[in-house]
Amino acid sequence: MKLNLLAAATLVLAPVSALAAAPSPVGTWEVNLAGADQGIAYVTFEEDRDFTAYGVSAKSAGVFTLSGTWAVDDKGVLTGSYTETIDGQDVTGTIQGKVTAKKVSGKITATNGNFSFAGTPEKDTQDLSGTWTGIAVLGKLRLPEIYQISATETPHLYQLSGFGVSPTGGEFEINGLALAGSKGKVRIFALSEYPWAETPGATTLSGKVNAATTKGSLKGFESTGQVIKVSLRR
């Protein structure tokens, strides 16, 4: 009889326990974006149902930021809306997704396009600080470059400065930002004061860097649409 009562109590309490264990996105997540834009973002969900984010993408021309509100039901269905500042413009969007203890994913519908996202809880990322050398291949040009990368107060975000040497026009200055992701992923936006161009060349790059072996390989595009590849050494 006591065993039957105990079993019945367990069945009654099970839904309450399941409800108490409803998934929550509270905390910081590393999120990869795809679709109308591609990039890395760090998204922080707060207990008060607000969330903020910052990241670097192919179209951000630096760091983009956003803030919004979120909700999640007992099945882990995530919804929200936000306002984002990207490349000097404000855009709005809505999110529809799913959250578990180890993953957040879903779709974004925004005034600047449709996106998909997938993220995992924030992890420590490698330290990119230091002096790096690179060979940038831009069309038929091979440009030796040197970069000084320094950590900023924002986690995972680095300031990049340096110079390159053009075989046709001497030295040119480089300035930009790098955002480190897990597993060696890196996103970079840089401006290069090319001596042959009237306006700076805006470059977006993505790839992988291994700070331990001091090597990296990046690929991206100039603002003109021209492909650029960069091999790195430290």
Side-chain angles (χ1 to χ4, degrees), residues 7 49 52 59 84 86-87 99-100 111 122 143 195 203:
R49 307 293 173 145
T52 57
K59 297 182 179 179
E84 176 185 15
I86 180 169
D87 195 16
V99 62
T100 68
T111 52
E122 179 188 30
L143 308 174
T203 305

Side-chain angles (χ1 to χ4, degrees), residues 184-199:
K185 295 191 297 289
V186 176
R187 274 275 174 184
I188 291 176
F189 173 79
L191 291 174
S192 299
E193 300 280 352
Y194 295 133
W196 61 82
E198 294 183 0
T199 57

Side-chain angles (χ1 to χ4, degrees), residues 126-136 143-151 158-164 174 178 180 184 186 188 208-218 230-234:
Q126 59 187 338
D127 185 1
L128 301 178
S129 300
T131 301
W132 294 77
T133 61
I135 297 295
L143 308 174
E145 298 180 341
I146 296 178
Y147 324 101
Q148 184 65 43
I149 298 179
S150 306
Y158 294 81
Q159 190 77 39
L160 182 152
S161 61
F163 66 92
I174 303 169
V186 176
I188 291 176
K208 288 193 173 183
V209 173
N210 190 322
T213 62
T214 66
K215 293 181 181 180
S217 180
L218 306 171
V230 180
S231 57
L232 295 172
R233 303 279 292 187
R234 181 167 66 173

Side-chain angles (χ1 to χ4, degrees), residues 135-139 141 205 217-221 227-231:
I135 297 295
V137 179
L138 185 62
L141 292 175
L205 295 162
S217 180
L218 306 171
K219 183 177 180 180
F221 297 92
V227 175
I228 181 170
K229 298 179 181 180
V230 180
S231 57

Side-chain angles (χ1 to χ4, degrees), residues 84-171:
E84 176 185 15
T85 300
I86 180 169
D87 195 16
Q89 303 294 319
D90 289 338
V91 300
T92 58
T94 59
I95 61 174
Q96 181 81 32
K98 182 79 173 179
V99 62
T100 68
K102 296 182 178 180
K103 184 178 180 181
V104 61
S105 61
K107 303 290 184 181
I108 298 172
T109 303
T111 52
N112 60 336
N114 297 325
F115 310 85
S116 63
F117 66 92
T120 55
E122 179 188 30
K123 303 177 182 67
D124 290 337
T125 54
Q126 59 187 338
D127 185 1
L128 301 178
S129 300
T131 301
W132 294 77
T133 61
I135 297 295
V137 179
L138 185 62
K140 295 182 179 180
L141 292 175
R142 291 176 59 86
L143 308 174
E145 298 180 341
I146 296 178
Y147 324 101
Q148 184 65 43
I149 298 179
S150 306
T152 69
E153 294 182 355
T154 303
H156 317 290
L157 185 65
Y158 294 81
Q159 190 77 39
L160 182 152
S161 61
F163 66 92
V165 179
S166 166
T168 60
E171 290 188 2

